[in-house]
């Protein structure tokens, strides 16, 4: 049984090392809302989200005050909206608007789940739904969207991958006055998980119960400080220190998650162990890797350091929580990590190196800004590459990329807040148009044939 004493040792982490609960996310099933006209369904969606999440802001504020742990974000994830909108895909944007209005009413930061799962095939209603994504992301403030285009069991749906390149370009164009900000609210997945509390890729899986609380912890600064304390340790001792630190961080998350679920009349879902950085110095995954002995993140050895960090975080965290899930690893979003930003500006870190790093870390190419004239086919090819890493390695991978309108290499784009700012990173100029235009399905790997 948890007691206040379980988190007393984290006080120094909170005051000096940027420890926080990054998000308390309520997952809400929208399946009871299916039925009736588009207008009726949208109203039921709004009413259900408002009813279920009406107290999430108050409860998290109370918990933060009582336990002394900052809770940065309050969020909601919902059933993939493509399922709810299947009878009227041409009016799917009505549901998107209803979700945004509900998010504003209850006062949360973001709402995820304007999503579609098309990893094996794409029905006509799903195609229409995906085509509505640019309009919804441009016309709403808090709604986030994702599309799962592949899995280790089914392969990669290249028709969906091709379509997403066009969708991302259109989203950037529709939000050009904000640097293409709409694209920061969209994720293309392979092997998407049903209990992810982090945005922009969160949705409430159909295998989940009606209302669930999932919590994402964070603490790059805590891990960096722990490594600084043993500057001459070998890698075995370093891994042990990271494991012990991850254990302490996760215990705080478990405590908050269980108490929040009780007070919100929801089930406790999972604790996501991911180290989620911010643009604040001292709260950076890149700086952890540099503290491990790299002159700059992106240099040779970066992938090995990241692999060790990710593994140690998982091993320490899984012992601290009865339910670990979500993505659970180390995020490497360029615009949200001051160390990544500076390495990209120096030219030490490029997309090719980031792609290699995603083979061993949590998720994938995240919050990367590229030139505004990057073609839809090139964006699709980047998604295909990342999905292939996830499919072959049986892990979740993703792409959140922003073709910043009217920007070129050497420029930067500022999204503000936790989303930070991103230097425009170069992409390869050689075309992949013919490959992308082939369409069809990249078959699943041989290791998928196990049952």
């Amino acid at each position: 049984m948890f007691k206040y004493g379980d988190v007393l040792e984290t006080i120094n982490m909170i005051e000096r090392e940027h420890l926080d609960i990054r998000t308390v996310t309520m997952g809400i099933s929208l399946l009871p809302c299916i039925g009736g006209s588009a207008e009726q369904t949208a109203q039921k969606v709004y009413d259900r989200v408002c009813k279920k999440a009406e107290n999430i802001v108050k409860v998290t504020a109370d918990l933060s005050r009582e336990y002394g742990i900052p809770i940065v974000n309050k969020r909601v994830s919902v059933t993939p909206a493509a399922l709810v909108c299947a009878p009227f895909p041409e009016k799917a944007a009505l549901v998107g608007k209803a979700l945004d209005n509900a998010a504003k009413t209850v006062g949360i930061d973001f709402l995820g789940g304007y999503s579609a799962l098309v990893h094996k095939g794409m029905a006509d209603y799903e195609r229409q739904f995906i085509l509505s994504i640019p309009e919804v992301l441009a016309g709403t403030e808090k709604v986030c969207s994702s599309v799962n285009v592949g899995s280790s069991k089914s392969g990669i749906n290249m028709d969906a991958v091709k379509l997403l390149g066009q969708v991302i370009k259109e989203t950037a164009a529709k939000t050009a006055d904000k640097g293409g900000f709409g694209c920061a609210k969209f994720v293309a997945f392979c092997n998407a998980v049903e209990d992810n509390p982090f945005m922009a890729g969160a949705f409430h899986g159909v295998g989940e119960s009606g209302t669930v609380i999932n919590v994402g912890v964070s603490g790059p600064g805590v891990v960096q400080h722990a490594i600084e304390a043993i500057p001459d340790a070998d890698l075995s001792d370093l891994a042990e220190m990271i494991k012990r630190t991850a254990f302490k961080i996760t215990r705080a998350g478990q405590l908050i998650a269980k108490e929040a679920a009780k007070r919100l009349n929801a089930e406790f879902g999972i604790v996501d162990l991911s180290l989620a950085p911010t643009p604040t110095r001292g709260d950076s995954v890149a700086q952890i890797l540099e503290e491990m002995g790299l002159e700059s993140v992106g240099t040779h050895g970066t992938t090995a350091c990241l692999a060790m960090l990710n593994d140690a975080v998982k091993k320490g965290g899984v012992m601290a929580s009865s339910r670990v899930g979500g993505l659970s690893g180390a995020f490497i979003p360029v615009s949200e990590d001051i160390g990544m930003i500076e390495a990209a500006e120096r030219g030490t870190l490029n997309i090719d190196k980031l792609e290699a790093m995603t083979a061993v870390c949590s998720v994938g190419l995240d919050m990367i800004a590229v030139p505004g004239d990057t073609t839809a086919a090139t964006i699709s090819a980047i998604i295909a590459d990342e999905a292939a890493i996830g499919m072959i390695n049986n892990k979740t991978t993703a792409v959140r990329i922003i073709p910043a309108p009217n920007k070129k290499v050497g420029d930067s784009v500022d999204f503000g807040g936790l989303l930070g700012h991103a230097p425009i990173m170069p992409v390869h100029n050689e075309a992949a148009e013919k490959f992308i235009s082939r369409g069809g399905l990249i078959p699943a790997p041989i290791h998928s044939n196990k049952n």
Side-chain angles (χ1 to χ4, degrees):
M1 182 176 179
F2 286 106
K3 299 181 183 299
Y4 284 95
D6 290 329
V7 294
L8 288 178
E9 61 183 329
T10 66
I11 291 175
N12 188 60
M13 299 178 186
I14 293 166
E15 292 182 345
R16 300 183 182 181
E17 300 162 15
H18 307 288
L19 173 65
D20 57 51
I21 303 299
R22 187 53 48 87
T23 180
V24 172
T25 300
M26 174 180 281
I28 301 173
S29 174
L30 296 184
L31 297 180
C33 301
I34 297 176
S37 66
E39 291 77 10
Q40 291 170 329
T41 300
Q43 185 61 51
K44 287 191 283 187
V45 164
Y46 173 85
D47 292 342
R48 184 169 177 81
V49 173
C50 288
K51 180 179 179 181
K52 294 291 184 179
E54 63 180 342
N55 293 320
I56 188 171
V57 173
K58 179 183 182 302
V59 166
T60 52
D62 290 344
L63 289 172
S64 182
R65 183 176 60 255
E66 290 171 25
Y67 290 100
I69 303 174
I71 300 174
V72 180
N73 290 294
K74 285 70 67 178
R75 297 164 172 168
V76 165
S77 63
V78 298
T79 306
L83 301 176
V84 181
C85 299
F88 46 83
E90 71 286 349
K91 293 186 177 181
L94 289 177
V95 170
K97 185 65 175 176
L99 290 170
D100 194 52
N101 289 337
K104 293 175 182 176
T105 297
V106 299
I108 57 174
D109 300 288
F110 284 110
L111 185 149
Y114 195 79
S115 306
L117 311 179
V118 293
H119 39 281
K120 196 171 184 180
M122 184 166 50
D124 289 342
Y125 75 86
E126 290 169 320
R127 176 181 288 274
Q128 280 189 272
F129 175 88
I130 291 171
L131 289 172
S132 75
I133 288 173
E135 175 188 351
V136 169
L137 293 182
T140 61
E141 294 179 24
K142 298 178 180 291
V143 171
C144 295
S145 176
S146 60
V147 176
N148 192 59
V149 298
S151 75
S152 296
K153 193 71 175 175
S154 65
I156 302 171
N157 182 349
M158 290 301 292
D159 293 321
V161 170
K162 178 182 178 181
L163 184 59
L164 290 192
Q166 301 164 9
V167 164
I168 290 170
K169 286 287 287 185
E170 185 179 347
T171 301
K174 285 182 176 292
T175 56
D177 60 328
K178 299 178 181 178
F181 175 73
C183 298
K185 300 190 294 173
F186 177 78
V187 181
F189 273 120
C190 178
N191 290 322
V193 297
E194 296 189 331
D195 54 6
N196 169 21
F198 287 99
M199 300 296 169
F203 63 85
H204 186 70
V206 295
E208 299 285 312
S209 62
T211 311
V212 174
I213 292 296
N214 298 319
V215 164
V217 297
S218 189
V222 179
V223 174
Q224 181 184 347
H225 182 79
I227 295 172
E228 288 173 351
I230 49 172
D232 300 319
D234 68 18
L235 293 177
S236 297
D237 290 340
L238 204 62
E240 286 299 314
M241 175 63 78
I242 295 170
K243 284 164 57 178
R244 290 197 297 270
T245 304
F247 179 90
K248 296 174 185 177
I249 294 170
T250 306
R251 290 296 274 181
Q254 168 95 349
L255 174 62
I256 294 296
K258 295 194 77 170
E259 191 62 31
K262 183 193 306 182
R263 298 187 190 189
L264 290 166
N265 194 31
E267 289 190 21
F268 164 46
I270 57 90
V271 176
D272 189 313
L273 310 179
S274 299
L275 294 179
T278 71
T280 302
R281 192 168 301 280
D283 198 27
S284 162
V285 170
Q287 290 176 336
I288 294 175
L289 304 180
E290 291 168 355
E291 191 62 42
M292 291 168 72
L294 304 176
E295 182 177 351
S296 172
V297 67
T299 192
H300 304 297
T302 298
T303 305
C305 286
L306 184 58
M308 194 191 84
L309 172 65
N310 210 46
D311 180 66
V313 167
K314 289 177 185 289
K315 286 175 178 174
V318 77
M319 292 296 294
S321 175
S322 58
R323 294 186 183 180
V324 170
L327 301 168
S328 288
F331 289 165
I332 51 171
V334 174
S335 78
E336 299 175 17
D337 185 313
I338 186 62
M340 297 289 179
I341 293 169
E342 291 175 346
E345 290 173 339
R346 289 193 299 267
T348 312
L349 186 65
N350 57 37
I351 290 180
D352 290 341
K353 185 60 178 179
L354 282 164
E355 183 181 301
M357 293 164 67
T358 64
V360 300
C361 80
S362 183
V363 199
L365 298 172
D366 196 11
M367 286 303 290
I368 294 171
V370 297
D373 61 1
T374 303
T375 67
T378 295
I379 293 171
S380 293
I382 292 170
I383 293 171
D385 281 344
E386 195 59 34
I389 291 173
M391 176 184 71
I392 295 296
N393 290 289
N394 198 31
K395 71 184 293 291
T396 303
T397 53
V399 173
R400 187 162 48 146
I401 190 168
I402 303 102
N406 305 314
K407 299 288 186 178
K408 61 184 184 301
V409 175
D411 296 335
S412 65
V413 58
D414 192 346
F415 300 115
L418 288 176
L419 295 177
H421 73 277
I424 306 301
M425 303 181 74
V427 299
H428 291 283
N429 294 321
E430 298 78 14
E433 182 79 42
K434 184 175 180 179
F435 166 62
I436 296 301
S437 66
R438 288 180 182 273
L441 188 75
I442 292 181
I446 186 64
H447 63 65
S448 69
N449 190 25
K450 53 185 179 181
N451 203 355

